[in-house]
Amino acid sequence: AKNFNNHQVGWWRKKTEIKIDRTWYKNIFYFDDFAKSFVYSPVIHNDNIFILDSSGDLTAFSLATKKTQWHKRIFDKLWLKNYKVAHLGVCHDLLFAVAGVNQIKAINQVDGKIIWSKDLSVIFNSAPVCDGKNIYISSSDNKTFALNYLTGDIAWIHYGMPKLLAIFGNSQPVI
């Protein structure tokens, strides 16, 4: 960053120069075609970065070696061109993926294999969060689900206020 001189006025006046060095760069915004593989929110865990894109592909990159560990299709492209709300969560050595459809999937972080998949009659639209025992996720109709992270079995469901009454949208679970 350029150092400002003392003749400039305002809160932005700087006295020292800040130097930022890039240690590593990987274009994860989109891989092939911008329209079909937009990345929403990567997750970093166990020295890897995991990326679920809007085409339903999940990729793991090693932060140590800067190389692709694996790349797998997690959500089929049967009737959707793009998934609109792709989110990832992590619990121990499992990733949890949702993509704006009625499925949540548990994926092994090491090899990308799907451990379990759960279909419910709701559209998931929040990032899954974990407390070490359950994962919590919200749906577009303001339900919050607690699922066993190992099996996907439903522990409980909380019915929030109807969407018509929710001025600021749906809930986002936080632990």
Side-chain angles (χ1 to χ4, degrees):
K2 182 180 175 189
N3 200 8
F4 294 100
N5 62 40
N6 288 334
H7 300 293
Q8 293 173 313
V9 293
W11 60 270
W12 59 85
R13 186 173 353 140
K14 300 178 92 174
K15 302 234 181 211
T16 59
E17 185 174 325
I18 299 170
K19 184 175 179 178
I20 299 173
D21 292 326
R22 179 187 293 175
T23 58
W24 182 55
Y25 171 79
K26 181 76 174 173
N27 183 5
I28 60 170
F29 190 64
Y30 60 90
F31 291 111
D32 299 321
D33 179 10
F34 175 78
K36 63 180 204 186
S37 61
F38 184 78
V39 173
Y40 286 92
S41 50
V43 171
I44 296 174
H45 187 66
N46 290 340
D47 205 30
N48 290 306
I49 183 166
F50 301 96
I51 299 161
L52 178 62
D53 69 24
S54 60
S55 70
D57 287 346
L58 181 61
T59 307
F61 295 101
S62 168
L63 293 174
T65 66
K66 302 168 183 62
K67 294 184 180 179
T68 301
Q69 301 292 89
W70 48 263
H71 179 87
K72 305 260 176 120
R73 169 142 326 265
I74 299 299
F75 292 99
D76 293 330
K77 291 186 80 166
L78 299 175
W79 45 273
L80 281 177
K81 180 178 179 184
N82 284 350
Y83 293 101
K84 300 301 180 197
V85 280
H87 294 291
L88 283 175
V90 64
C91 190
H92 303 293
D93 288 333
L94 293 178
L95 295 168
F96 299 93
V98 297
V101 293
N102 66 330
Q103 297 176 339
I104 181 168
K105 299 188 180 201
I107 301 109
N108 185 319
Q109 288 184 24
V110 175
D111 57 13
K113 289 184 182 172
I114 295 174
I115 305 300
W116 58 259
S117 179
K118 187 89 168 171
D119 293 359
L120 295 167
S121 59
V122 296
I123 304 297
F124 293 113
N125 60 0
S126 72
V129 295
C130 181
D131 67 358
K133 178 181 173 186
N134 291 318
I135 55 168
Y136 303 90
I137 189 160
S138 294
S139 63
S140 61
D141 59 355
N142 275 343
K143 293 177 186 163
T144 301
F145 290 78
L147 305 173
N148 179 290
Y149 89 96
L150 289 173
T151 64
D153 293 337
I154 298 173
W156 52 260
I157 302 171
H158 176 269
Y159 295 85
M161 61 173 113
K163 191 155 187 150
L164 295 174
L165 299 174
I167 296 169
F168 297 110
N170 66 310
S171 62
Q172 300 288 321
V174 175
I175 294 181

